[in-house]
Structures are given as structure tokens and as C-alpha cells.
Amino acid sequence: TTMPPPSNTPDVDHYAVLGVDPLSALPVVSKSYKKLALKYHPDKTAKLKEAEQKVATDRFIQIKESWAVLSDEKAKADYDDKLRGKLARAESERKR
């Protein structure tokens, strides 16, 4: 199956998905990605109940999408810019 393009919108917190700080260096992000991808990989979750497999598969897809964004220099820069804009708007709204 083909994967949809990764979500480059700030609606998905790619840092939270991978459990890393936005200031984390790429090797830290990579290590977290590998650990989570292994944990939620369909081969590792094949013996779970069907509903649990669905949750694990969805999580695996999120992990792969987050890695696709955060491991690509341009995609990460675009994502970070959008995220900063979203945070700035939220702060502006909060001050009203």
C-alpha cells in the first residue's frame, strides 16, 4: 500500500508523536523513531487483538509520518515555521 504524504500541518505535533523536544538533535529524534517504529511495527503487534492491532497500526503510521517530516531538513523547517505561526496566533488570542 502507498502511504499518503506526511502531514506537514501544525495540527499534528510530530515532536509529541516521537516523544522528543523540538530542540532535539536529529540523532535523538532518529533513536526515538527507531524505538517506537520497532515497538508498533505490524510484525510486532500481529498477535494482539484486532482492535489493538488497529490502534498500533495507526500509531505506526503516525510515527512514520512524523519521521518523514522531522528527518527532512526542508519539511522540518516548513513545519517549524507553521508551528511557530500557530503558537503566535494562540498567544495573541490568549492576550485578548
Side-chain angles (χ1 to χ4, degrees), residues 2-8 12 14 17-18 33 58-72 75 79:
T2 57
M3 292 286 299
S7 175
N8 204 12
V12 176
H14 295 299
V17 169
L18 295 180
Y33 159 73
D58 291 346
R59 181 87 167 101
F60 182 71
I61 291 168
Q62 288 178 326
I63 291 163
K64 286 177 59 173
E65 288 179 351
S66 292
W67 173 245
V69 171
L70 298 181
S71 65
D72 179 277
Y79 172 74

Side-chain angles (χ1 to χ4, degrees), residues 4-45:
S7 175
N8 204 12
T9 66
D11 296 337
V12 176
D13 186 342
H14 295 299
Y15 296 105
V17 169
L18 295 180
V20 296
D21 185 270
L23 300 177
S24 296
L26 186 58
V28 173
V29 177
S30 176
K31 183 177 180 179
S32 181
Y33 159 73
K34 289 175 184 176
K35 181 179 175 183
L36 290 169
L38 185 61
K39 178 178 179 179
Y40 290 98
H41 192 279
D43 289 345
K44 295 285 185 178
T45 60

